[in-house]
């Protein structure tokens, strides 16, 4: 695939000159958007995805489904439900999936893992390729599981991208064992397409750990809303076993929630500056792991209230270190580490060894970049130990990782002279982040 050139321009991270007071409207959830696209694409009837996230990852998913034959019409509409969910909407029109075609996964974990099971339902060869980093990210468990279920996949023995799924128009399905210790996406990938498998699926996780469980709960909830029958450990099933019965899926009219994980840097700004940030449309009940920010940042010294205006988060300007198991919310680690580096006491972040296999090795990257600004971060077997030190300016490298870029911006609020390399990588899930950040600091929308 054509590799997008690395952008080495340095973005001066704005220094806060006082308490931040702003209302920040966060775009839709990537996790919900990409799951909704997959479920709508394999449904038995058309559906709507309203307020979708338009970012690199979601565009890669939409483009891939179009390449497989799915119709996706982008429009601006009012909500038929009368719930005020107008604005941008995608109408998804399922069709017979077909190849030959090539899917560009970029470096999107959801695309590289969720779509190979979909490709087994297509007629023809579907080649998967992507950014150089995608070749290094774990995929072998999904490949092996699909072969167990009857798929034909040519990966030249790599257990990784690039590869070709030889779609046969259907997949037998059945029982499969998988070690999802490195990513909960392995389980979600198999569950999402399972209603279309001839026998459905029974997924048995065999590993010692299973990170990011909220994302599996999100997958299960969205499957059920689309009409699938799903048995889970939480619903009385066996531990670490999920079953999905074969069935036709409904075409839904889904409004995508704001991406709560992407609200993190803005809430952190309130924490650090002793200000107040409001995030509109924060859901009262959600499976998004980002909802845990309310608990985590409160433990670090902030306070929050869920109101009609949204989540209102207030900081005191004083930050307390935290000892936290982040195994269920690993994607929040970079932002938490950035805040912890500015605290008045040490922090230990545990349960996130799997972050070494994300967009970059996030544990090594955070250690290198915070220490490069004068910090004292030690990598542990499954996380980080952070001892706050006076920080100084310097270049904060992002490794083409969107959450590294926003973590650097958070530190830059309190440390003069921080420059973020390739801040444009935030477009992966948070389009136009630099403008949103500047607007927040100027109080635009407050």
């Amino acid at each position: 695939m054509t590799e997008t050139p690395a952008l080495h321009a340095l973005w001066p991270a704005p220094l806060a000159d006082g308490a931040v007071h702003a209302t920040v409207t966060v775009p839709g959830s990537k996790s919900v958007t990409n799951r909704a696209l997959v479920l709508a694409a394999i449904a038995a009837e058309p559906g709507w995805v309203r307020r979708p996230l338009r970012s690199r990852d979601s565009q890669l998913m939409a483009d891939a489904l179009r390449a497989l034959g799915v119709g996706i019409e982008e429009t601006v509409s009012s909500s038929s439900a009368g719930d005020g969910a107008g604005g941008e909407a995608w109408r998804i029109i399922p069709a017979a999936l077909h190849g030959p075609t090539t899917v560009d996964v970029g470096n999107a974990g959801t695309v590289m893992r969720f779509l190979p099971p979909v490709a087994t339902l297509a007629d023809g060869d579907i080649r998967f390729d992507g950014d150089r980093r995608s070749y290094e990210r774990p995929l072998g468990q999904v490949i092996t599981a699909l072969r167990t279920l009857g798929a034909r996949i040519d990966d030249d023995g790599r257990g990784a991208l690039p590869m070709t799924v030889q779609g046969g128009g259907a997949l037998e399905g059945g029982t499969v064992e998988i070690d999802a210790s490195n990513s909960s996406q392995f389980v979600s990938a198999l569950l999402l397409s399972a209603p279309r498998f001839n026998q459905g699926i029974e997924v048995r996780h065999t590993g010692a750990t299973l990170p990011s469980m909220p994302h599996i709960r999100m997958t299960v909830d969205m499957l059920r809303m689309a009409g699938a029958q799903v048995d889970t450990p939480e619903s009385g099933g066996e531990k670490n076993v999920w079953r999905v019965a074969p069935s036709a899926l409904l075409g839904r009219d889904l409004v995508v929630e704001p991406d709560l994980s992407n609200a993190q840097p803005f809430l952190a700004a309130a924490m650090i500056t002793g200000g107040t940030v409001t995030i509109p449309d924060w859901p009262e009940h959600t499976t998004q792991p980002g909802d845990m920010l309310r608990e985590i940042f409160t433990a670090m010294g902030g306070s929050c209230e869920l109101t009609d205006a949204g989540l209102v988060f207030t900081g005191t300007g004083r930050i307390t270190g935290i000892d936290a198991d982040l195994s269920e919310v690993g994607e929040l680690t970079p932002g938490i580490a950035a805040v912890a580096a500015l605290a008045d006491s040490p922090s230990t972040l545990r349960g996130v060894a799997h972050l070494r296999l994300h967009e970059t090795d996030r544990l090594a990257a955070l250690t290198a970049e915070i220490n490069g600004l004068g910090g004292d971060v030690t990598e542990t077997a499954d996380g980080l130990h952070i001892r706050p030190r006076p920080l100084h300016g310097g270049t904060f490298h992002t490794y083409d990782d969107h959450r590294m870029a926003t973590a650097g911006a958070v530190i830059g609020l309190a440390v003069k002279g921080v420059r973020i390399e390739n801040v444009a990588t935030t477009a992966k899930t948070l389009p136009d982040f630099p403008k949103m950040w500047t607007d927040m600091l100027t109080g635009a929308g407050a």
Side-chain angles (χ1 to χ4, degrees), residues 111-125:
V111 181
M112 73 178 69
R113 292 161 183 157
F114 292 179
L115 287 191
V118 175
T120 67
L121 306 173
D123 280 313
D125 289 356

Side-chain angles (χ1 to χ4, degrees), residues 115-436:
L115 287 191
V118 175
T120 67
L121 306 173
D123 280 313
D125 289 356
I126 313 298
R127 179 172 171 79
F128 287 84
D129 208 335
D131 297 352
R132 191 175 298 111
R133 172 63 178 171
S134 72
Y135 295 5
E136 303 169 0
R137 297 186 68 181
L139 190 60
Q141 290 288 328
V142 175
I143 294 171
T144 301
L146 289 175
R147 285 179 175 145
T148 299
L149 298 171
R152 293 177 299 165
I153 300 174
D154 178 10
D155 65 343
D156 290 333
R158 287 184 298 269
L161 294 179
M163 69 177 189
T164 298
V165 176
Q166 300 170 20
L171 193 69
E172 190 58 25
T175 299
V176 65
E177 293 186 346
I178 189 169
D179 183 352
S181 300
N182 288 333
S183 176
S184 67
Q185 288 180 355
F186 298 168
V187 174
S188 288
L190 298 172
L191 299 182
L192 284 168
S193 294
R196 288 284 305 274
F197 299 166
N198 293 340
Q199 298 182 35
I201 203 169
E202 179 180 292
V203 179
R204 293 181 167 270
H205 167 60
T206 61
T209 62
L210 185 56
S212 303
M213 273 296 297
H215 280 123
I216 296 179
R217 297 187 193 110
M218 176 187 294
T219 296
V220 169
D221 283 358
M222 293 183 69
L223 276 163
R224 286 173 172 162
M225 287 189 290
Q229 179 182 329
V230 188
D231 294 327
T232 71
E234 291 88 352
S235 61
E238 296 177 58
K239 182 180 179 182
N240 291 334
V241 177
W242 294 262
R243 296 183 180 91
V244 180
S247 67
L249 294 179
L250 306 174
R252 294 199 59 234
D253 191 328
L254 175 75
V255 180
V256 178
E257 297 174 349
D259 193 316
L260 307 187
S261 295
N262 276 338
Q264 181 180 42
F266 306 102
L267 301 181
M271 284 273 293
I272 291 166
T273 67
T276 299
V277 168
T278 300
I279 309 292
D281 300 318
W282 194 286
E284 186 174 354
H285 302 288
T286 181
T287 53
Q288 288 192 62
D291 193 44
M292 285 296 294
L293 287 167
R294 293 193 287 169
E295 177 180 329
I296 293 167
F297 277 173
T298 296
M300 297 184 80
S303 64
C304 65
E305 181 182 6
L306 200 55
T307 71
D308 290 342
L311 182 72
V312 180
F313 191 89
T314 303
T316 62
R318 180 182 177 184
I319 302 166
T320 302
I322 190 172
D323 186 328
D325 182 344
L326 303 181
S327 57
E328 291 208 347
V329 291
E331 66 189 42
L332 304 179
T333 302
I336 294 170
V339 173
L342 302 170
D344 59 12
S345 57
S347 293
T348 299
L349 310 181
R350 297 177 282 105
V352 287
H354 61 286
L355 294 189
R356 295 188 172 95
L357 301 169
H358 276 217
E359 282 81 345
T360 188
D361 179 341
R362 285 178 170 166
L363 299 184
L366 287 164
T367 300
E369 298 312 308
I370 295 174
N371 288 351
L373 301 180
D376 185 358
V377 180
T378 303
E379 208 174 323
T380 66
D382 71 339
L384 300 171
H385 188 59
I386 302 168
R387 305 168 192 81
R389 296 285 186 269
L391 301 181
H392 56 71
T395 299
F396 196 95
H397 300 91
T398 63
Y399 310 85
D400 294 324
D401 185 334
H402 57 134
R403 300 208 191 278
M404 287 296 297
T406 53
V410 166
I411 292 174
L413 287 175
V415 180
K416 184 178 181 180
V418 174
R419 300 177 300 278
I420 312 297
E421 178 205 35
N422 188 14
V423 73
T425 196
T426 53
K428 178 180 173 68
T429 60
L430 195 57
D432 210 13
F433 169 75
K435 182 177 185 301
M436 293 178 67

Side-chain angles (χ1 to χ4, degrees), residues 21-79:
H21 295 282
T23 295
V24 180
T25 300
V26 178
S29 163
K30 177 203 74 174
S31 298
V32 173
T33 297
N34 279 3
R35 282 167 174 77
L37 285 171
V38 170
L39 291 172
I42 62 173
E45 56 191 359
W48 287 92
V49 178
R50 302 184 189 274
R51 294 184 183 171
L53 173 67
R54 183 182 287 278
S55 70
R56 188 187 185 210
D57 277 19
S58 60
Q59 199 62 54
L60 285 165
M61 181 68 84
D63 289 347
L65 291 170
R66 287 188 177 108
L68 291 170
V70 178
I72 302 179
E73 300 174 352
E74 302 182 21
T75 184
V76 175
S77 71
S78 58
S79 170

